Amino acid sequence: MRQPLFRLLNVRPFSKITCRLVAVALALTAAAAAGQAQTLAALPVASQPVAKVGNAKPIAGWVRFCQQTPQECAVDPSEPATITLTPQVWKVLVQVNRQVNAAIKPMTDQEHWGVEDRWDFAEDGYGDCEDYQLVKRRQLVKAGFPRRALRMTVVIDEEGAGHAVMMVRTNRGDFILDNKRDAVLPWHQTGYTYVKREGDTGSTWASLGGAFVSPTVTAGR
């Protein structure tokens, strides 16, 4: 059973972190309203990007994933680190987020593979949080988006648990593709605490300074 973040900080580091897909009330009323009102054509208001505060160690599941599929983790410095957000680009982001969320059925890595945390592409239609985001990124790259601007990100969710999302870095700010909701929200409207994300220049991840104790896994539904 998961424990609240404050209890984990007082007692011990994260020993088993899950990322449930059950719909929950968002901490921010603005986020819920944005999800209901979101359209495919309208561009969101520009906002400040997430601030990087240093380097971070990647999740072990990510390291194993990169050993198996190094092409998915390579950073091409010639690619732009941000995307110019146009109505067409926004439409594609919203559609891919909705379509992948609907196509994959939630299943923990323990149920699926018999291990605590495995990052994969949900080839058989089942997966947990990071698997959704990897599929979304692969589809967006196929559609012509630069992988360098599509960053896997670890957060603490509204229940104090580790969770994986994908951060899309744009000229209008950083936006989050998430299997918990179909709306694509600015990072600061999700209610999450941002811990770390893939780096823009190499294998080292970027610390986002959002938690004293970093999740070691993102396993769960």
Side-chain angles (χ1 to χ4, degrees):
M1 181 180 295
R2 296 187 302 178
Q3 300 182 47
L5 177 59
F6 69 85
R7 185 178 301 169
L8 288 165
L9 290 174
N10 289 336
V11 178
R12 62 182 183 275
F14 286 81
S15 57
K16 185 177 181 181
I17 308 298
T18 59
C19 41
R20 299 167 59 189
L21 301 175
V22 179
V24 294
L26 296 179
L28 302 177
T29 302
Q36 294 172 356
Q38 189 167 42
T39 65
L40 294 178
L43 284 178
V45 176
S47 62
Q48 291 297 314
V50 178
K52 174 185 173 181
V53 298
N55 294 329
K57 184 178 180 180
I59 293 278
W62 168 258
V63 174
R64 289 190 291 270
F65 172 74
C66 291
Q67 290 171 345
Q68 296 170 355
T69 56
Q71 69 277 8
E72 294 293 329
C73 306
V75 176
D76 183 352
S78 69
E79 287 188 333
T82 60
I83 297 167
T84 299
L85 199 60
T86 66
Q88 181 58 31
V89 166
W90 181 245
K91 180 178 180 180
V92 173
L93 290 175
V94 173
Q95 287 180 333
V96 166
N97 193 56
R98 290 177 178 175
Q99 290 169 358
V100 174
N101 285 352
I104 298 175
K105 295 180 174 61
M107 180 177 288
T108 67
D109 287 331
Q110 193 65 53
E111 294 169 326
H112 199 181
W113 305 108
V115 297
E116 186 178 36
D117 194 23
R118 171 172 168 171
W119 291 45
D120 213 328
F121 282 115
E123 299 282 1
D124 59 358
Y126 294 89
D128 65 355
C129 54
E130 70 274 356
D131 305 327
Y132 282 76
Q133 316 322 325
L134 290 171
V135 172
K136 292 171 190 176
R137 184 167 75 166
R138 183 167 64 177
Q139 290 193 8
L140 290 171
V141 169
K142 287 181 178 178
F145 285 65
R147 183 181 285 108
R148 190 177 179 214
L150 309 173
R151 305 284 82 186
M152 294 294 292
T153 303
V154 174
V155 302
I156 304 297
D157 70 10
E158 68 288 333
E159 295 186 348
H163 181 54
V165 297
M166 187 171 68
M167 181 181 293
V168 180
R169 312 207 68 205
T170 82
N171 64 325
R172 298 178 70 89
D174 296 332
F175 294 88
I176 302 302
L177 273 62
D178 191 356
N179 54 298
K180 288 191 175 188
R181 55 176 70 92
D182 286 340
V184 177
L185 299 180
W187 69 274
H188 57 84
Q189 288 187 9
T190 62
Y192 297 152
T193 299
Y194 287 79
V195 180
K196 54 189 175 182
R197 64 167 171 79
E198 285 180 82
D200 295 332
T201 58
S203 59
T204 301
W205 278 38
S207 172
L208 305 177
F212 295 108
V213 177
S214 176
T216 58
V217 297
T218 56
R221 292 191 180 190

